[in-house]
């Protein structure tokens, strides 16, 4: 069903862009109609084949799948700009003397925006710094640095070489612990993607974090063989928190819950995992990892005394204007929020899904510096935390 939708939507975008570009005098005067439309048909056939193959093949088939998603993203961005030009010119019914210029401006804007989105999607994720005051954090742990990364989507787009660059990027931050917030893989286990390419486990073992590397599952882990993916990452020294908690250091607890995506889709209760993981309100400094920033999980985590909740999944909308649709689904979808004294950080992730494009913001890796509350004569929030705005 999903591939059928992609075929229909992608075909409409493709035809609209091809028709509008060929309506430009600068194009029509240089390229014969038959040549243009034969070329458009060939590009569409590659797109159609790529949709049929999918985006997860790790052999030679990866490129038509990736082309299809990239072309879908490019034609979407260009369609937005060309449609804006058509609306401005009344689809050629008014301002006829300026229709060609307006349409040419729309085409140029579409090309530039698509190129910028590709650049933002392919560049290395930026490092975002965030300080977190935790009400019960021991003084001895003040200044502890934790790095969180989400939605790396290893697979056809991003493989061991890309991951190795992220490992070096993370190690340069000298974290005490590394937290992986779900959607580590696109669909299926990565294994050995291509002959001669480094395996995943040795790359993961390159992470340097004295308090360990920890992970929770995301919805994409379960689109493939989740248990094999779990084993692959365990071979690389990653430890999974699947509805359980550990003492990361004396006085600091790290908890993680299994992905709730399937339960949400089935409209089932999805807070039971959190209730098992943190069965009672806690007075210990606690970090919770939950891939999806669902409202009920956020509220329950705050009520149970969690100091810091970390999520991903939303990609920050990834390609504008989808950010508005994502925000309707998840009110807290990008950045830091104060939730009754608990800090929630929803990261837009280091990778991407679908087209390797981002409009407007690039991917990110979060460096969190934990702070013990300062005791002063000034008034403070009830639990000693500091407010954060999203």
């Amino acid at each position: 069903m999903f591939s059928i939708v992609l075929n229909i939507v992608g075909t409409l975008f493709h035809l609209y862009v091809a028709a509008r570009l060929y309506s430009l005098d600068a194009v029509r005067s240089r390229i014969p109609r038959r040549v243009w439309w034969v070329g458009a048909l060939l590009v569409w056939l590659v797109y159609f084949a790529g949709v049929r193959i999918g985006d997860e093949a790790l052999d030679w088939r990866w490129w038509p799948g990736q082309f299809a998603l990239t072309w879908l993203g490019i034609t979407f961005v260009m369609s937005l700009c060309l449609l804006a030009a058509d609306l401005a010119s009344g689809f050629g019914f008014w301002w006829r003397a300026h229709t060609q210029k307006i349409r040419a401006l729309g085409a140029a804007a579409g090309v530039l925006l698509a190129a910028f989105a590709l650049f933002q999607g392919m560049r290395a994720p930026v490092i975002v710094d965030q300080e977190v005051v935790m009400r019960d954090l021991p003084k001895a742990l003040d200044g502890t640095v934790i790095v969180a990364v989400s939605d790396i989507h290893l697979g056809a787009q991003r493989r061991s070489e890309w991951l190795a660059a992220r490992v070096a990027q993370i190690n340069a931050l000298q974290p005490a612990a590394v937290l992986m917030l779900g959607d580590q893989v696109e669909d299926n286990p990565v294994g050995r993607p291509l002959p001669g390419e480094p395996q995943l486990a040795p790359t993961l073992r390159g992470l340097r974090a004295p308090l360990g590397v920890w992970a929770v599952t995301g919805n994409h882990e379960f689109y493939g063989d989740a248990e094999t993916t779990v084993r692959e990452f365990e071979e690389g020294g990653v430890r999974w928190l699947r509805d359980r908690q550990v003492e990361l250091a004396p006085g600091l607890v790290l908890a993680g819950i299994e992905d709730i995506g399937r339960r949400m889709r089935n409209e089932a209760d999805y807070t039971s995992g959190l209730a098992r993981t943190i069965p009672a309100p806690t007075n210990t400094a606690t970090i919770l990892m939950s891939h999806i920033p669902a409202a009920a999980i956020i509220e329950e985590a705050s009520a149970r005394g969690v100091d810091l909740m970390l999520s991903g999944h939303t990609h920050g909308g990834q390609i504008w204007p989808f950010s508005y649709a994502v925000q309707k689904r998840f009110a807290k979808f990008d950045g830091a929020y104060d939730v009754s004294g608990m800090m929630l950080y929803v990261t837009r992730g280091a990778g991407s899904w679908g087209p390797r494009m981002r409009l407007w913001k690039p991917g990110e890796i979060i460096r969190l510096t934990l702070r013990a509350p300062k005791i002063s004569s000034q008034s403070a929030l009830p639990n000693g935390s500091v407010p954060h705005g999203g």
Side-chain angles (χ1 to χ4, degrees):
M1 182 63 184
F2 184 64
S3 63
I4 293 174
V5 172
L6 282 185
N7 274 325
I8 295 173
V9 172
T11 298
L12 292 175
F13 286 153
H14 177 77
L15 290 175
Y16 179 65
V17 170
R20 279 294 173 257
L21 290 181
Y22 197 69
S23 71
L24 296 173
D25 291 339
V27 176
R28 194 165 44 195
S29 63
R30 289 173 172 80
I31 303 175
R33 180 183 298 272
R34 180 175 296 179
V35 173
W36 177 265
W37 286 107
V38 167
L41 175 63
L42 292 175
V43 172
W44 178 83
L45 288 174
V46 177
Y47 169 81
F48 181 82
V51 171
R52 297 283 294 177
I53 290 172
D55 65 335
E56 61 191 53
L58 295 174
D59 52 24
W60 66 269
R61 296 171 297 170
W62 76 270
W63 76 263
Q66 293 306 300
F67 171 82
L69 292 173
T70 302
W71 189 243
L72 178 66
I74 291 171
T75 54
F76 168 74
V77 172
M78 291 200 65
S79 292
L80 287 180
C81 294
L82 289 167
L83 179 60
D86 275 341
L87 292 173
S89 63
F91 290 86
F93 288 105
W94 62 69
W95 288 2
R96 292 189 177 183
H98 302 287
T99 296
Q100 282 287 313
K101 291 181 180 178
I102 294 172
R103 196 167 288 168
L105 285 173
V111 170
L112 291 173
L113 277 181
F116 178 72
L118 285 166
F119 167 74
Q120 291 288 71
M122 293 183 181
R123 64 180 291 193
V126 299
I127 305 300
V128 175
D129 283 297
Q130 184 74 51
E131 284 203 351
V132 187
V133 176
M134 303 181 72
R135 57 192 161 219
D136 297 306
L137 187 72
K139 289 290 185 183
L141 296 178
D142 185 79
T144 299
V145 173
I146 289 176
V147 169
V149 60
S150 185
D151 298 277
I152 56 179
H153 288 274
L154 295 174
Q157 282 190 4
R158 295 170 178 83
R159 304 182 184 181
S160 295
E161 183 179 352
W162 184 88
L163 179 62
R166 305 291 75 76
V167 168
Q169 200 175 4
I170 290 170
N171 285 344
L173 304 178
Q174 298 182 313
V178 176
L179 310 183
M180 307 180 81
L181 305 177
D183 283 3
Q184 276 70 252
V185 297
E186 179 65 19
D187 293 290
N188 291 315
V190 177
R192 185 188 289 272
L194 290 173
E197 184 171 332
Q199 286 184 309
L200 184 64
T203 305
L204 286 168
R205 282 197 291 268
L207 285 168
R208 298 287 176 260
L211 298 183
V213 181
W214 304 87
V216 292
T217 54
N219 52 301
H220 275 261
E221 268 77 42
F222 291 96
Y223 294 161
D225 183 352
E227 299 309 317
T228 299
T229 293
V230 167
R231 288 195 297 272
E232 282 185 349
F233 276 73
E234 285 178 339
E235 290 172 4
V238 177
R239 288 171 279 184
W240 294 81
L241 295 177
R242 307 178 72 178
D243 292 346
R244 71 185 184 95
Q245 61 172 260
V246 295
E247 187 179 57
L248 196 62
L252 178 61
V253 167
L254 177 65
I257 62 173
E258 191 84 305
D259 180 66
I260 58 174
R262 188 176 302 174
R263 285 182 169 272
M264 289 184 70
R265 289 191 297 273
N266 295 333
E267 297 184 351
D269 171 45
Y270 55 83
T271 61
S272 56
L274 178 57
R276 287 192 299 271
T277 306
I278 307 176
T282 176
N283 292 320
T284 303
T286 301
I287 300 171
L288 173 67
M289 297 192 292
S290 171
H291 178 65
I292 297 179
I297 295 293
I298 295 169
E299 293 168 6
E300 189 68 20
S302 178
R304 290 175 182 269
V306 171
D307 298 270
L308 170 64
M309 177 174 165
L310 299 171
S311 296
H313 184 64
T314 66
H315 293 214
Q318 189 166 318
I319 299 178
W320 181 90
F322 288 112
S323 52
Y324 297 113
V326 173
Q327 192 170 18
K328 287 186 71 69
R329 175 66 167 157
F330 302 103
K332 297 175 175 59
F333 81 108
D334 184 15
Y337 304 84
D338 180 84
V339 183
S340 300
M342 177 187 79
M343 178 180 164
L344 165 69
Y345 197 100
V346 183
T347 171
R348 57 183 179 265
S352 58
W353 176 78
R356 196 166 175 178
M357 303 170 73
R358 281 185 175 270
L359 192 65
W360 300 93
K361 297 178 181 179
E364 66 181 9
I365 294 172
I366 312 303
R367 174 167 53 191
L368 299 144
T369 302
L370 308 185
R371 294 296 183 190
K374 294 180 180 178
I375 301 174
S376 69
S377 59
Q378 297 178 350
S379 60
L381 291 177
N383 57 9
S385 62
V386 294
H388 297 266

